[in-house]
Amino acid sequence: MPNTFNFSCQCRTLKGTVELPDMRSLTRLVCYCEDCQAYARHLKPSEPVLGPHGGTDFVQVSPAHFHIKRGMEKLGNLRLSESGLYRWHATCCNTPLCNTPPNPSMPFVGLITNNLVCNQSTLANKVGPVRLGVCAGSQYPISADWPVARNFGFKALTRTLLNIGRWRIAGDHTRSTLIDAETGKPVIEPYTLNETERKELYTTA
Ligand SMILES: [Zn+2]
Ligand SMILES: [Zn+2]
């Protein structure tokens, strides 16, 4: 039986579900990279998305298992740069939801766990605990209950790529709520930050 979780934006206008059928193979990690922090600074959600040391808690799931059920009209898509990830969020309350890669043949959703409607212990029991912290950059080393790495790391990358490969073979890239199967384009045209906006974000302490 798959684990099905509800998720929603902070004001609960945008809602959906995510199935985590093979949770033991999924990767849950905290990303400390500059981009995730800049993104949170740009959106300014009322409930902070960043945890201690500016980390964002993600679980990597297949797009075939990620469904938006309500509030699709409030879905926004933002890129920090021309080559950046699609950063999906709810425009009603500026909640960051998930990231997807720009390459449509890569079935992958990095879902921010804060949006799952469950408490931390349920999350740890059903999804699994955080396995590691990645991209710690200048803030490395960070004290946490799990290993924190300066980069993404070979192990985490291998695990992620294996999952993406598995989902690709299953055809999950054609079953995404976020990417049009015919065109391979995102269902919402992304807004890309301009140089001035980027400068402001990355120079903010
Ligand atoms: Zn909302
Ligand atoms: Zn990041």
Side-chain angles (χ1 to χ4, degrees):
M1 280 292 285
N3 277 306
T4 301
F5 285 86
N6 294 315
F7 65 84
S8 81
C9 65
Q10 289 171 6
C11 79
R12 299 186 180 275
T13 304
L14 190 152
K15 292 182 173 181
T17 58
V18 60
E19 297 138 29
L20 305 174
D22 47 2
M23 61 208 173
R24 269 170 300 179
S25 69
L26 296 177
T27 304
R28 184 177 166 201
L29 51 78
V30 173
C31 186
Y32 294 98
C33 83
E34 264 198 317
D35 286 346
C36 288
Q37 296 187 28
Y39 179 52
R41 274 203 293 276
H42 178 76
L43 286 187
K44 299 187 194 74
S46 52
E47 293 286 323
V49 65
L50 300 176
H53 309 290
T56 308
D57 186 339
F58 286 100
V59 60
Q60 301 174 341
V61 302
S62 159
H65 298 145
F66 175 89
H67 314 282
I68 293 176
K69 305 276 188 187
R70 229 185 72 182
M72 193 70 185
E73 71 283 0
K74 298 293 183 192
L75 187 65
N77 183 6
L78 186 135
R79 298 181 96 175
L80 296 171
S81 68
E82 289 294 342
S83 58
L85 296 170
Y86 296 134
R87 294 178 182 264
W88 301 91
H89 57 280
T91 57
C92 37
C93 55
N94 281 354
T95 306
L97 295 171
C98 63
N99 302 334
T100 61
N103 181 346
S105 61
M106 279 180 81
F108 174 87
V109 177
L111 174 66
I112 298 174
T113 62
N114 293 30
N115 304 308
L116 294 171
V117 185
C118 68
N119 61 37
Q120 276 298 323
S121 64
T122 310
L123 195 63
N125 285 336
K126 296 205 168 176
V127 176
V130 174
R131 291 173 186 277
L132 77 166
V134 296
C135 305
S138 58
Q139 293 186 343
Y140 178 84
I142 286 167
S143 61
D145 296 337
W146 57 84
V148 177
R150 193 185 290 273
N151 300 312
F152 203 83
F154 178 74
K155 218 171 152 185
L157 193 62
T158 307
R159 196 181 175 93
T160 299
L161 291 176
L162 279 175
N163 276 337
I164 290 175
R166 208 157 42 86
W167 295 330
R168 179 75 173 77
I169 289 166
D172 289 5
H173 58 297
T174 63
R175 293 195 287 275
S176 171
T177 313
L178 303 171
I179 307 293
D180 185 285
E182 294 285 308
T183 63
K185 295 220 159 87
V187 295
I188 311 271
E189 188 65 30
Y191 174 74
T192 306
L193 295 187
N194 60 40
E195 267 315 302
T196 317
E197 288 170 313
R198 277 180 59 79
K199 235 179 182 168
E200 269 173 27
L201 276 182
Y202 286 88
T203 50
T204 307

